[in-house]
């Protein structure tokens, strides 16, 4: 019974755990150019957030690193990058939201997930 419980728990963990990897500018840009591969950019978001690499960079610097954003919300001074679908059961859409202050410097990065 104990083996069965650990086997089921391990299977659930394996199926729901999101993949992650270190942020790499070259990989991000290459994944951006190939729509099918673009679905895996979400794997780099958490490293990008944890490293605080983009914090205090202006929008021009962010654009040089990540490329053009998919959406710009001028009202909330936010850029959004589509980062793909994956992780967990069903479909999970991933987005990287970057918020800017009045001086046009990145102040906050957020990994937004929309579960189907």
């Amino acid at each position: 019974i104990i083996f069965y419980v650990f086997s089921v728990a391990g299977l659930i963990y394996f199926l729901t755990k999101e993949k992650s990897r270190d942020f790499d500018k070259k990989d991000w840009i290459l994944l951006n150019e190939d729509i099918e591969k673009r679905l895996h950019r979400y794997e780099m978001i958490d490293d990008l957030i944890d490293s605080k690499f983009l914090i205090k960079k202006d929008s021009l610097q962010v654009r040089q690193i990540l490329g053009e954003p998919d959406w710009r919300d001028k009202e909330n001074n936010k850029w959004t990058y589509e980062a793909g679908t994956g992780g967990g059961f069903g479909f999970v859409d991933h987005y990287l939201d970057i918020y800017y202050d009045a001086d046009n410097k990145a102040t906050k990065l957020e990994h937004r997930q929309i579960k189907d």
Side-chain angles (χ1 to χ4, degrees):
I1 292 175
I2 294 173
F3 176 74
Y4 177 74
V5 170
F6 280 110
S7 296
V8 170
L11 180 63
I12 291 171
Y13 175 77
F14 176 74
L15 292 175
T16 59
K17 183 178 183 315
E18 282 186 7
K19 295 179 183 177
S20 65
R21 60 180 164 146
D22 292 342
F23 175 76
D24 183 310
K25 177 182 173 183
K26 186 178 82 172
D27 285 348
W28 182 277
I29 298 300
L30 288 175
L31 291 173
N32 191 39
E33 294 172 356
D34 185 340
I35 297 300
E36 191 170 314
K37 290 181 181 178
R38 182 180 190 163
L39 297 176
H40 297 283
R41 289 198 312 185
Y42 73 91
E43 297 172 0
M44 293 185 268
I45 290 178
D46 291 332
D47 181 61
L48 194 58
I49 292 171
D50 292 343
S51 71
K52 300 183 182 198
F53 177 63
L54 296 177
I55 298 297
K56 297 185 181 178
K57 292 196 179 341
D58 64 34
S59 59
L60 180 61
Q61 292 170 310
V62 172
R63 190 179 306 123
Q64 289 172 342
I65 295 166
L66 300 180
E68 289 294 324
D70 295 298
W71 296 282
R72 293 178 195 207
D73 181 350
K74 292 181 182 180
E75 185 176 307
N76 295 313
N77 213 12
K78 173 179 84 168
W79 286 6
T80 299
Y81 290 86
E82 196 173 311
T85 303
F89 291 117
F91 294 100
V92 179
D93 294 321
H94 298 268
Y95 300 91
L96 172 62
D97 293 329
I98 303 174
Y99 295 86
Y100 294 92
D101 62 13
D103 294 327
N104 211 26
K105 303 278 186 185
T107 59
K108 177 182 169 186
L109 278 70
E110 187 175 83
H111 183 177
R112 187 166 41 97
Q113 302 174 19
I114 300 175
K115 298 178 182 181
D116 186 18

